[in-house]
Amino acid sequence: MAFFITQEPPFRFRQGTRPLLISMPHVGTHVPPALAARFTGEARHVPDTDWHLEQLYDFADELGASVLVATHSRYVIDLNRPPDGASLYPGQSVTGLCPVDTFDDTPVYADAKDLPGEEEIAQRRDAIWKPYHAKLAEELARIKAAHGVAALWDAHSIRSVLPRFFEGKLPDLNLGTADGASCDPALAQTLLNIAKSATGYTGVLNGRFKGGHITRHHGNPAGGVHAVQLEMTQSSYMQEALPFDYLPEVAAGVKPHVRRMLEAVLAFVEGPAP
């Protein structure tokens, strides 16, 4: 018996010309109708989406980056978790591979009998998680073969105040390199300098958010793959509550700093012009 069926492709992808892949694993909002029927009214609004990142990063094509964008909501399956659902932050509150609660610690499912079992979780993993990660690995391999080096930028955003996960207000620009394991320290320091020099914004490296499964699994600086996660506060560019609108005049303030970071990544991996 099939517990999970989706008609939506697992990702959208655009191939670029330079050694940079931007991954957006949490921007998806699609929930198959049969699954949405099991959700609470709150969960059907998919409030924990990384909203509008494609719009915020609308300069990606101009930079020559490849872009990989998730289509399904993280409530269907979280692409930035290990396939076995192991916690990335032991001892801290986290949501799972197929979340059963929201960031506000409210239920995703209206009835406990509707929680996904192991067979359904495996089907979601096969339909969405595996194809996304296969494409990610394939594109990084292509980039490295073409350029000798590859950079992976994992783009995220989150509400600036979430008591379940952190105290007070989160810094605006949270860079994560798995405590230095996923990216050359010199590049990480350059990125942190850009974040800290961004007037009106706060920045940190390997603070509350050190990078999820994507950064930790694919980053291999010794092997020529440098992976960085940026977790941004949504207040930097959008409304943090329904209707979750993009705010162009607010986004205009932070977007140049994000672009400078990506330009710095490209400058680092491409090296000086011959």
Side-chain angles (χ1 to χ4, degrees):
M1 176 183 175
F3 290 94
F4 177 77
I5 297 173
T6 182
Q7 304 301 321
E8 188 81 6
F11 57 78
R12 296 187 300 275
F13 174 71
R14 305 191 304 276
Q15 189 173 98
T17 57
R18 298 174 75 189
L20 171 63
L21 170 61
I22 301 173
S23 163
M24 301 183 182
H26 290 154
V27 302
T29 58
H30 181 70
V31 180
L35 179 56
R38 294 155 55 189
F39 282 7
T40 64
E42 177 193 8
R44 287 187 199 117
H45 290 295
V46 291
D48 301 327
T49 301
D50 293 10
W51 301 98
H52 308 299
L53 287 184
E54 281 186 280
Q55 191 168 356
L56 187 72
Y57 283 79
D58 62 5
F59 52 83
D61 292 349
E62 190 178 323
L63 289 183
S66 296
V67 183
L68 180 63
V69 181
T71 54
H72 289 69
S73 169
R74 70 190 302 156
Y75 291 166
V76 179
I77 193 163
D78 191 328
L79 297 170
N80 204 27
R81 297 290 181 272
D84 62 359
S87 176
L88 294 168
Y89 294 95
Q92 300 188 50
S93 182
V94 295
T95 52
L97 178 65
C98 292
V100 298
D101 45 22
T102 71
F103 287 179
D104 288 325
D105 216 6
T106 58
V108 168
Y109 293 84
D111 194 311
K113 68 178 174 56
D114 285 329
L115 268 58
E118 285 305 311
E119 187 174 354
E120 182 180 358
I121 290 171
Q123 289 169 344
R124 297 188 199 181
R125 191 164 48 228
D126 288 346
I128 304 166
W129 194 99
K130 287 182 179 178
Y132 189 92
H133 282 266
K135 188 64 180 179
L136 203 161
E138 174 191 291
E139 179 61 7
L140 286 175
R142 185 200 69 80
I143 289 173
K144 190 164 184 293
H147 300 275
V149 65
L152 170 62
W153 186 269
D154 209 38
H156 295 262
S157 70
I158 194 168
R159 276 179 281 162
S160 60
V161 178
L162 270 173
R164 176 179 176 181
F165 299 133
F166 48 83
E167 294 182 8
K169 183 180 183 295
L170 190 69
D172 296 305
L173 302 167
N174 299 266
L175 293 157
T177 63
D179 284 327
S182 71
C183 165
D184 187 288
L187 173 56
Q189 186 60 51
T190 296
L191 297 171
L192 180 61
N193 291 344
I194 293 171
K196 285 187 168 293
S197 66
T199 303
Y201 303 94
T202 50
V204 68
L205 174 64
N206 293 316
R208 173 61 180 86
F209 295 98
K210 302 176 187 296
H213 178 72
I214 290 173
T215 306
R216 301 181 195 198
H217 180 73
H218 293 281
N220 177 17
V225 179
H226 301 273
V228 179
Q229 176 178 290
L230 177 63
E231 183 81 73
M232 293 180 56
T233 53
Q234 292 180 339
S235 58
S236 300
Y237 71 95
M238 61 168 279
Q239 282 184 332
E240 293 195 332
L242 280 169
F244 305 118
D245 285 343
Y246 186 76
L247 301 174
E249 68 284 0
V250 177
V254 76
K255 186 184 289 191
H257 303 297
V258 178
R259 179 168 181 150
R260 281 180 63 210
M261 290 185 196
L262 288 170
E263 288 171 342
V265 170
L266 281 166
F268 182 87
V269 296
E270 290 179 333

